[in-house]
Structure formats: structure tokens, C-alpha cells
Amino acid sequence: VSVDRIPDMSVLVGEKMTCQVVRVDRMGKGNIVLSRRDLMEQERKAKAEKLKATLVEGAVMEGVVRKIMPFGAFVDLGGLDGLVHISDMTYDRAGFGEKAVAKYVKEGQPVRVQVLKVDLEGNKISLGMKQVAGDPFATAANDIKEGSDVTGRVVRITEFGAFVELAPGVDGMVHISELDYKRVAKVEDVLKVDQVINARVLRIDASTRRISLSIKATKPAPEPTGGEGGGFGGGPGGRGKK
């Protein structure tokens, strides 16, 4: 019926199509076997040859998602398939697996892609979707300034801190030392995933795409404790009388 898998054949009811006669059974009920796939493959090969002559790296093209894989999605450019690796699908931390890919594309979905690399001899075409969507970090870097206060959602917790989503595709990191003025033994004692927090932007590094945040900087510093001179009480020197 098609070069692609069609899960629901009922969508073809009422459609007119050109087919090739594969076999005629003149005995019994006189069945006639047809193939649409063979003609589609011939047409696809003809389109592929034309596309090979014009395909260049850097070009922006329209395509259709043909198949979702754990590492990305194959996109039909009109006779040739290219691969959009999941790392070139989005600026988000997308993870790995078909479920992760399916968050961003569906089979049969039209997509706009950029040709990243062409290797016709190796039958490999690398494509990117995020390259034509624009870099959200560049936009955020213009909107977010060092020293400003921001609101974000905790998306990931590690031993050394927490990652906070400031905008789609833009995360900042709060180091464990920037959680509070008092010592924090475990990040989980202070923050939870999906918690919305306020933080101050300490540093934006466009070269490494990193934004450093501080929660404690948004809080008033605690009053110093102890006696005059910063000791343990009992007068200067902090030792008291013996």
C-alpha cells in the first residue's frame, strides 16, 4: 500500500490511486493483486536523484517525520531521509528513548530542518531542528541580567546543587553553597523537583551557556552572633574570665 506503515487502512477508503498489477489469478474467484508501493518507490528514487544534485549543508528545508527512534527521528526530505539526532532536536535536556523523542515530534508531522552534514556515499544526512528554531539562551541572555532577581522551577537536583528552568530550554544552576547562609548538608533538604523558587543571577557565561544563581542572595544576611570582636563572648578576645 505504501512505503510507510499505515496503522489504520480505513483512511484510504474512497481515495483514488495508481497501482501496478502484480498478479492476476484467473482461477477461482479471479483475484487481482496490485501494488502501490512499487510505484511509490520508483517515484521516490527519481526524487532522490534530483535532491542529491541540489542538497547542500546549511540549507533550510521542509520535511515529514517518517520514523521515531530512541536516538532521534528520520525525516523525509522528499526522496531522501535525514536523521535529526535528539541533541539537535531541542535545546532542552531531552534525555534518551522513543518517549523522549515523541515529546517533540510525531510520525507524519511536517517539520522545518537545517541540513547539518551531507554524506551521500555513506548514505547519511544529518539534520537539525533547533538550529532553525532560534537559540533560547541567546534570547534569555538579553532579557536576564547579572544581579537581577528571577523566578524559575527546579527541574533537576544533584549532589552539588540544583538546576532551575528559567525559560524553555534555559536552565540556571544554584550551587549548594548558594542555597542558604547556614550550611546545607543535602540539597534535598532545601529544594524539591518542580518547586518554584526566587533567585538572584550571579553570573552569565555565554561561552559555556551557564547561568549561576543564588537563593541566599535574595535573603537578608543573618545578624552576627557572639560578643564584641566576634569571639565567643566574655569581652575582647572571646574567652571570658578564668
Side-chain angles (χ1 to χ4, degrees), residues 14-90:
E15 293 288 329
K16 291 184 177 181
M17 58 182 67
T18 303
C19 299
Q20 189 174 50
V21 179
V22 176
R23 188 176 76 252
V24 178
D25 184 3
R26 300 186 185 280
M27 303 295 290
K29 295 183 179 180
N31 290 333
I32 301 173
V33 181
L34 308 175
S35 174
R36 177 171 173 250
R37 180 189 179 101
D38 293 343
L39 293 179
M40 292 180 72
E41 287 181 340
Q42 293 174 18
E43 182 182 356
R44 182 174 170 81
K45 287 180 181 178
K47 288 182 177 179
E49 292 304 317
K50 291 182 179 179
L51 186 58
K52 286 179 181 178
T54 59
L55 196 64
V56 293
E57 294 179 5
V60 176
M61 306 180 67
E62 304 291 334
V64 177
V65 178
R66 290 193 66 191
K67 188 172 181 59
I68 290 177
M69 303 295 288
F71 47 81
F74 285 102
V75 174
D76 181 10
L77 298 175
L80 291 174
D81 282 355
L83 173 66
V84 181
H85 192 271
I86 193 167
S87 61
D88 288 309
M89 193 169 289
T90 175

Side-chain angles (χ1 to χ4, degrees), residues 42-212:
Q42 293 174 18
E43 182 182 356
R44 182 174 170 81
K45 287 180 181 178
K47 288 182 177 179
E49 292 304 317
K50 291 182 179 179
L51 186 58
K52 286 179 181 178
T54 59
L55 196 64
V56 293
E57 294 179 5
V60 176
M61 306 180 67
E62 304 291 334
V64 177
V65 178
R66 290 193 66 191
K67 188 172 181 59
I68 290 177
M69 303 295 288
F71 47 81
F74 285 102
V75 174
D76 181 10
L77 298 175
L80 291 174
D81 282 355
L83 173 66
V84 181
H85 192 271
I86 193 167
S87 61
D88 288 309
M89 193 169 289
T90 175
Y91 286 99
D92 296 339
R93 290 184 175 88
F96 184 82
E98 292 185 16
K99 289 185 178 180
V101 177
K103 291 181 181 179
Y104 302 97
V105 294
K106 307 295 181 189
E107 291 184 4
Q109 175 184 337
V111 291
R112 195 161 177 257
V113 296
Q114 184 175 30
V115 181
L116 303 180
K117 189 175 181 181
V118 179
D119 180 6
L120 296 179
E121 292 183 0
N123 197 28
K124 293 181 181 179
I125 302 173
S126 298
L127 306 173
M129 288 172 53
K130 71 180 185 181
Q131 287 78 3
V132 296
D135 185 355
F137 188 91
T139 303
N142 291 329
D143 296 337
I144 301 173
K145 305 299 181 184
E146 293 182 0
S148 63
D149 288 349
V150 294
T151 301
R153 180 176 63 90
V154 178
V155 292
R156 186 158 59 97
I157 291 177
T158 67
E159 291 184 2
F160 55 84
F163 288 90
V164 179
E165 183 183 53
L166 303 177
V170 181
D171 290 352
M173 204 276 284
V174 183
H175 192 268
I176 190 171
S177 62
E178 293 295 334
L179 292 175
D180 204 333
Y181 286 99
K182 64 182 182 182
R183 183 180 179 278
V184 176
K186 298 173 67 174
V187 180
E188 293 89 340
D189 294 338
V190 179
L191 297 177
K192 305 296 180 186
V193 173
D194 288 332
Q195 180 179 344
V196 177
I197 57 98
N198 294 321
R200 184 158 297 163
V201 180
L202 299 180
R203 187 164 181 261
I204 299 175
D205 190 340
S207 61
T208 59
R209 301 174 62 84
R210 292 179 179 176
I211 300 177
S212 300

